[in-house]
Amino acid sequence: MMKKEFVEERRLGIIQYINQKRRADVYELAQEFNVTEVTIRRDLILLEDSGKLVRTHGGAISCLDRSIWQTTNIRARLENETAEKERIANYVASLISDGESIFLDSGSTSLLIARALLSHKRLMVVSNSPSVAQTLAGVNENKVLITGGELEKNTDSIIGTSCEEFLKQYRTDKAILGISGILIPDGYFAANPQEAAVKRIMGNNAKRTIYAADSSKIGTTAFTFVESLKNTGLLITDTNISEDNLKLLKQYGADVVTV
């Protein structure tokens, strides 16, 4: 077996071990896989970057034990619910007209929406996502304004006071926002206060707000409240949503479209 295959086998073993044990420290993993602690630390960094686990001080925990305030890697999220997210992205893009101004925040669904907007013309896009900006800038006379602030590499989002102050300067036709969790009847949630602040500013400064979230987010909590369900915008989700959840969302005032 080649060295590369040994490495891939070991890293797969680490994921399986941590998912089974729920957590493990570096020394324990080094003993289990008969390698140095330096090698294990390098493995854990790469595995976290690919969204397979969450590193902690001295070790790692399973993604299944991730706290509600912890974010997941955007590359890993792009691999989840892909077909549903693409349907949502294409529908959202159909709601945008050439020449409109939009806020488009960060996240895996937002990036897919940016790709779905590539055939649009003369858009003015304001975003806190480097990937969204790079996707749309200069295409079909589209213009992109990207915020300043702190770059959160794991989520490909720019956050912080500088970002918020930048966004407050602008008013757009539409705000398109990804959501980490939707609780009924509470409302929409984001992973942390900084991301929630960005979403609130975008939503408040647009004529119309569109929330884009696959149905796996419904019933899933996240750390920070963003907005209530009632009279805050249009929710685009997929047809895997249960009939009960769909009825409850409408009962509590959400405007919902399934695709």
Side-chain angles (χ1 to χ4, degrees):
M1 185 180 291
M2 297 175 62
K3 183 178 179 180
K4 182 179 179 181
E5 292 173 317
F6 275 121
V7 172
E8 292 175 350
E9 185 178 88
R10 182 182 68 245
R11 289 174 181 164
L12 178 59
I14 290 171
I15 296 167
Q16 293 171 339
Y17 185 89
I18 291 176
N19 283 341
Q20 181 180 9
K21 299 283 187 177
R22 312 299 280 190
R23 61 186 60 236
D25 61 36
V26 170
Y27 174 80
E28 176 186 352
L29 291 168
Q31 294 296 306
E32 177 70 20
F33 293 95
N34 195 30
V35 292
T36 67
E37 293 183 23
V38 171
T39 296
I40 290 296
R41 288 192 180 94
R42 188 182 303 119
D43 286 344
L44 295 183
I45 290 170
L46 292 171
L47 290 171
E48 183 180 54
D49 285 346
S50 62
K52 305 300 184 183
L53 49 75
V54 178
R55 282 192 301 147
T56 62
H57 179 69
I61 63 173
S62 167
C63 285
L64 300 174
D65 283 342
R66 178 177 60 88
S67 297
I68 60 174
W69 60 268
Q70 292 174 307
T71 56
T72 54
N73 185 279
I74 188 171
R75 283 179 289 176
R77 281 183 280 148
L78 282 168
E79 297 174 1
N80 295 329
E81 327 296 341
T82 304
E84 291 82 1
K85 288 179 179 179
E86 287 180 346
R87 291 203 306 271
I88 291 167
N90 289 331
Y91 186 83
V92 170
S94 74
L95 301 178
I96 308 300
S97 300
D98 288 347
E100 284 196 310
S101 58
I102 61 171
F103 287 118
L104 181 54
D105 74 344
S106 60
S108 57
T109 304
S110 294
L111 181 53
L112 291 174
I113 291 168
R115 293 171 183 172
L117 287 169
L118 283 171
S119 62
H120 284 57
K121 301 176 181 178
R122 300 181 305 280
L123 296 176
M124 175 61 77
V125 182
V126 184
S127 182
N128 69 321
S129 165
S131 293
V132 165
Q134 290 172 351
T135 298
L136 289 171
V139 178
N140 292 334
E141 300 180 70
N142 295 326
K143 295 184 182 298
V144 177
L145 299 178
I146 188 168
T147 72
E150 176 189 353
L151 175 61
E152 175 56 60
K153 181 180 178 182
N154 191 46
T155 59
D156 185 55
S157 61
I158 299 173
I159 55 175
T161 303
S162 298
C163 172
E164 294 166 25
E165 292 302 315
F166 180 92
L167 292 171
K168 289 175 183 177
Q169 301 177 74
Y170 300 102
R171 303 294 182 273
T172 66
D173 295 303
K174 295 182 176 76
I176 304 168
L177 309 177
I179 289 296
S180 298
I182 303 172
L183 289 182
I184 307 171
D186 300 15
Y188 302 105
F189 285 77
N192 57 57
Q194 294 90 344
E195 290 189 3
V198 167
K199 294 178 192 298
R200 277 195 293 269
I201 293 168
M202 287 181 171
N204 289 338
N205 287 2
K207 293 178 182 177
R208 186 185 188 193
T209 301
I210 300 169
Y211 295 102
D214 64 84
S215 60
S216 70
K217 304 294 192 341
I218 299 168
T220 300
T221 190
F223 187 59
T224 310
F225 176 78
V226 177
E227 288 290 355
S228 66
L229 295 173
K230 189 174 182 180
N231 300 324
T232 56
L234 176 65
L235 170 62
I236 311 300
T237 190
D238 61 77
T239 52
N240 292 331
I241 184 174
S242 71
E243 285 295 327
D244 288 343
N245 279 337
L246 184 58
K247 289 177 182 178
L248 283 171
L249 282 168
K250 292 180 177 180
Q251 178 182 326
Y252 284 101
D255 188 6
V256 187
V257 172
T258 60
V259 296

